Each structure stands twice: as structure tokens, then as C-alpha cells.
Amino acid sequence: MFRHLLPLFSPALLALMIFVAFPMVWVFRTSFNELAEGAYIVEAMTLENYTRFLGDPWYLVNTLWFSVRIAVVATAISVICAYPVALYIAKTSGLQRNILMAMTMAPLLIGLVTLVYGWIVIFRGGGLMNSLMLAVGIYDQPVRYMWDIKGVIILLVYIGTPYVVLSLLDSIERISPYLIEAARNVGATRWTTFWKVVFPLSAPGLYAGLVIVFSLNFAAFAVPLMIGDSNTQMIGLVIYREALLNNDLPFASALSVIMVSVNALIIVGMSALAGRLILNRLEAKR
């Protein structure tokens, strides 16, 4: 009997319960409480915090929908940037591969705050970004990246692209080179080979990268806080303001539950869509 209970006390499961499950249960319970005068939390079972957000079109458009749009745009750009890099790294070996992998993983090896401060130097009015664009003639005058959503998207893409590259690389390396060679032998162009062979077979890695990067972008907090405008309404930043600046923990907890729920629904939807696309391609090939 006790042998069946031993897996419940494994270190990994205990860590998951302590650092994930219990905090989520506490946040979920707190979301039903009320806030009294003086920033005191009153034990209750009310849906007021949820209706306050979900019943307000301003919150739905300017916070929830805005966060989804930014996450989708940044994730899509990350995928577009990641595919050529992953395809090129998959063809390399030895020292060249090690150097490229180190360069790809560099953003993940630097602390987020340090990384953001480095980009602040690049984004500022006379920084590297504007100086380079002015030198090559793309811009006629400096463009504002700091305290603007453009800077937020660029930094989210920079952070998210390595995750997509690593996810794609695992799938691309599993593709037999004979399949690509066979496609080229029958006259397929590089684009046709990629679209008909490489892309469908790398779909599992693409899906894994999409899930990771979209989740990170949707819940982004530090990047919009340090790069975005003071009125940036991404949901992670709104939760921070409600919890630490307004001391409204019940409302912040409700926003957290909504954020996790919407994120999960979108991921499930992406999973269903990806599965249907893959099945349709397989049936078409038959």
C-alpha cells in the first residue's frame, strides 16, 4: 500500500505542489475575497472581482485583447526569425555549430533585468539602433523605441526567438536528409521542399515553441514595465499595478486567474488547430 503512495512524495512532485499548486490555489481563493477600506482583505465568496474586469469593455479591449495582440505579433515574428536560423544550424557541425548555438542561447544566459538595460542603451535617442538606421538611410530622423510598444515587441522577439529555434532544431534534425534530397530530385524548388516536406515534419517543434513563447509574451511583465509607456496595459503589468501599487490583491488575483485561463484556452485552441492542419496534410498526401 505504501509503495503506491511513494511517488506522491517524490522531490519533483513536492516541489511542484509547493511552488506551483499551492500558490495557484491561494491566488484562486483570494480572487473571491473583497477589499475593505484601508486596503484590508475581507474573507468572502464574491464574483465582483471577475465581473469588474469581464464586465468592463475597456478592460476587455485595452488590457485583454491588447495583450493577446502583442503576444501574437511578437510570437509570429519570432517564428519567422527562428526558422532560417534553425535550418542553418541544423546543417552545421563541429566548432561552427557550437558557436552558433552559443550565440542563439546568449539571450537566455543573461539576467532579464541586465538584458533590458542593455537594450535601453541601444534604444535611446542617440543609441545604436537609431544611429545605424540613420547611417544606412532607412530613417530620416530618430525613431522612438523607448517608452513605446515598438521597443516592447522588439525585445519580446529577441527573448522569444531562441526558444523557437531550440524547439525547431530538435524536430528539423529528426528529418531524414533523404526526404529533402528526393524532393529536390523530382524538381521541387527550395520553397516547395520547405513547405511540403520540412514544415509539416517540423510542426511538433513549431508547436512547442509557439506554446512557450506565446505564454511568455502574453504574461510579460518586466519588458513592458521597463521599456513600455507608463500607460501600457498588458495584463501582466496591470496585475503588478493592482497588487503592489493599489494594494488590491483580490482584483489582482482575479486578473491572474483570468490570464492563466485565457492563456490555457488559446494554447488548447492552437493545439487543436495544429493537429487538424497536420491531419489534413497527411490525408491530402494519401
Side-chain angles (χ1 to χ4, degrees):
M1 176 180 178
F2 292 102
R3 290 181 180 178
H4 297 292
L5 297 177
L6 286 178
L8 298 178
F9 298 97
S10 64
L13 185 59
L14 286 176
L16 186 66
M17 294 291 291
I18 293 172
F19 296 109
V20 179
F22 292 158
M24 284 301 300
V25 171
W26 181 85
V27 168
F28 182 72
R29 176 62 187 89
T30 304
S31 68
F32 294 101
N33 292 335
E34 295 179 342
L35 187 69
E37 294 184 5
Y40 291 105
I41 298 177
V42 178
E43 294 286 339
M45 285 298 294
T46 177
L47 296 175
E48 181 182 352
N49 297 309
Y50 290 95
T51 56
R52 175 182 167 187
F53 182 86
L54 297 175
D56 191 336
W58 190 93
Y59 275 124
L60 295 178
V61 174
N62 295 288
T63 299
L64 187 59
W65 176 237
F66 176 74
S67 300
V68 171
R69 283 193 295 121
I70 296 300
V72 169
V73 170
T75 303
I77 298 174
S78 296
V79 171
I80 294 172
C81 295
Y83 251 112
V85 176
L87 290 171
Y88 184 79
I89 294 177
K91 297 178 182 179
T92 61
S93 60
L95 180 61
Q96 183 183 11
R97 179 186 178 87
N98 293 336
I99 293 175
L100 292 174
M101 288 295 294
M103 293 174 63
T104 301
M105 296 179 64
L108 307 180
L109 304 177
I110 305 173
L112 182 58
V113 175
T114 305
L115 188 69
V116 173
Y117 274 117
W119 275 91
I120 289 176
V121 176
I122 297 174
F123 281 155
R124 64 183 183 178
L128 178 62
M129 180 73 78
N130 276 308
S131 299
L132 181 62
M133 295 301 177
L134 291 172
V136 299
I138 296 178
Y139 297 156
D140 296 327
Q141 56 185 0
V143 174
R144 182 181 178 184
Y145 292 103
M146 283 298 300
W147 325 128
D148 192 86
I149 199 63
K150 292 192 295 293
V152 173
I153 293 176
I154 291 173
L155 198 46
L156 290 177
V157 171
Y158 178 75
I159 296 171
T161 299
Y163 290 102
V164 186
V165 170
L166 296 176
S167 299
L168 285 174
L169 196 57
D170 180 65
S171 294
I172 291 173
E173 289 182 333
R174 296 173 184 270
I175 301 174
S176 173
Y178 297 110
L179 295 176
I180 299 176
E181 183 179 355
R184 299 302 300 275
N185 288 339
V186 297
T189 62
R190 290 181 179 273
W191 169 252
T192 303
T193 302
F194 169 77
W195 184 245
K196 296 293 186 179
V197 179
V198 177
F199 182 77
L201 294 178
S202 62
L206 174 61
Y207 172 70
L210 285 175
V211 169
I212 296 171
V213 175
F214 180 85
S215 299
L216 292 175
N217 291 341
F218 182 63
F221 156 69
V223 172
L225 175 65
M226 301 176 69
I227 300 294
D229 185 80
S230 58
N231 292 322
T232 300
Q233 294 295 321
M234 292 191 70
I235 192 167
L237 195 52
V238 173
I239 292 171
Y240 159 78
R241 290 171 183 153
E242 293 295 337
L244 297 183
L245 301 183
N246 299 336
N247 293 321
D248 193 346
L249 284 180
F251 187 51
S253 298
L255 291 180
S256 300
V257 173
I258 293 171
M259 181 184 70
V260 172
S261 302
V262 172
N263 204 349
L265 288 174
I266 293 175
I267 290 173
V268 170
M270 287 194 300
S271 176
L273 179 61
R276 179 168 296 182
L277 290 175
I278 293 173
L279 289 176
N280 289 341
R281 280 183 170 273
L282 292 176
E283 291 176 357
K285 290 180 179 180
R286 290 178 182 178

